[in-house]
Amino acid sequence: MERPAWAPPGIDISVPSVSRMQDFYLGGSHNFDADRRAARRVLRHLPGVPKIVQANRAFMRRAVTWAVGEGVTQLLDVGCGMPGFGSVHEVARAAAPECRVVCVDHDPVVVAQTRTRLAEDPRAAALSADLRKPRQILESPELAEVLDLASPVALVLVSVLHFVEDQDDPYGAVAELKNALAPGSLIVITHAAYDGVPVPQEQTARAVSVYRDIRNPMTMRSQEQIARFFEGYEMVEPGLVAKPHWRPDAPAEQEDPFAYSGFAGVGRKA
């Protein structure tokens, strides 16, 4: 198995990574053979996964642009994924060059690639930390150097919470991050669910089982369960909805059916 020059030392490239699988779905090049093989197993059951991932990105772009337009120019992107085209950092800067962004991931390949991209940027940083351990994020020197938590921050949790199992207390982790943020801060969430997936639930479950097999289990939650992540926030219109219905740029009816899988929403801390 050929090892790419950009792979950080010590990384076992035979073990699939969710972030690198996402990169593959988006047509990126920072993924290994193991990632591609696992992703293709998912695609055998859910061929529309690339459309779901693209819908996540499109929602994120609209939500981040809206947040910056509301004056929230600090962003904390947890589970940022591979820094491909249209990342949170790029979207925020396109909306306002003064934006400050901290990108967080626990995949060392993601962190290495993001640090390389942001190396000359004093208003951005990449942090190696895990959402399941919010103190790692909040007490990091990288965050302290870039963000002022006394002012509003947009906490971006796009396509990450469904990779935190209930036993790891995702609600507690999100609440701890919320408690550290100033009033007026925002939370931006997308989350996988069986709702809206245009194939039988049994077929979707077979795709979900692939993530369990690679030791990155995915937890599908109901709309009511996802709404709990917004406790302490006021929902921004139109609420917790299918991604194409959140302030669309074009008529939602034009979207691919798979784009309606799961839910997305934005909340504002009072």
Side-chain angles (χ1 to χ4, degrees), residues 169-261:
D169 191 17
Y171 297 105
V174 171
E176 189 166 351
L177 291 172
K178 178 202 71 180
N179 291 340
L181 302 181
S185 291
L186 303 170
I187 189 168
V188 178
I189 290 175
T190 69
H191 198 298
Y194 287 113
D195 302 70
V197 184
V199 298
Q201 182 169 323
E202 295 77 11
Q203 184 175 334
T204 304
R206 288 194 288 273
V208 171
S209 71
V210 174
Y211 289 96
R212 183 178 63 249
D213 292 344
I214 65 170
R215 299 183 181 181
N216 282 282
M218 176 183 284
T219 300
M220 307 291 269
R221 295 187 173 96
S222 67
Q223 185 176 19
E224 181 179 5
Q225 290 171 321
I226 299 166
R228 285 182 54 199
F229 289 113
F230 291 92
E231 289 182 0
Y233 293 89
E234 296 177 358
M235 291 301 298
V236 172
E237 290 294 333
L240 185 61
V241 296
K243 293 178 284 288
H245 290 306
W246 200 91
R247 301 176 180 246
D249 296 327
E253 294 73 20
Q254 297 177 7
E255 291 283 357
D256 183 279
F258 275 95
Y260 294 87
S261 306

Side-chain angles (χ1 to χ4, degrees), residues 5-176:
W6 50 264
I11 297 300
D12 185 351
I13 66 173
S14 69
V15 177
S17 152
V18 167
S19 296
R20 299 192 301 268
M21 289 169 69
Q22 295 279 90
D23 180 68
F24 174 74
Y25 296 140
L26 288 167
S29 59
H30 286 92
N31 47 77
F32 305 135
D33 182 62
D35 307 311
R36 295 187 286 273
R37 284 189 279 109
R40 290 183 183 115
R41 287 178 59 199
V42 174
L43 292 172
R44 281 200 293 270
H45 304 296
L46 278 183
V49 167
K51 294 296 183 182
I52 297 174
V53 175
Q54 290 166 19
N56 271 313
R57 274 292 176 101
F59 161 78
M60 178 276 289
R61 184 188 67 247
R62 298 193 304 274
V64 167
T65 301
W66 176 85
V68 175
E70 291 288 298
V72 180
T73 56
Q74 299 190 109
L75 298 99
L76 177 57
D77 183 14
V78 181
C80 60
M82 208 64 72
F85 175 76
S87 64
V88 167
H89 169 261
E90 290 185 350
V91 172
R93 285 291 174 75
E98 70 272 16
C99 282
R100 294 179 171 270
V101 184
V102 172
C103 304
V104 181
D105 211 291
H106 63 76
D107 184 324
V109 178
V110 170
V111 176
Q113 290 296 311
T114 306
R115 282 177 174 163
T116 297
R117 179 165 294 197
L118 302 178
E120 304 300 321
D121 190 339
R123 296 194 305 276
L127 165 63
S128 177
D130 195 317
L131 173 59
R132 292 169 292 188
K133 299 176 181 178
R135 300 314 306 177
Q136 281 186 346
I137 301 171
L138 295 171
E139 296 175 358
S140 68
E142 293 94 336
L143 186 143
E145 289 173 6
V146 176
L147 301 183
D148 174 13
L149 297 187
S151 297
V153 172
L155 172 60
V156 180
L157 298 169
V158 169
S159 195
V160 63
L161 286 167
H162 46 251
F163 290 113
V164 183
E165 297 182 273
D166 289 339
Q167 66 191 34
D168 292 319
D169 191 17
Y171 297 105
V174 171
E176 189 166 351

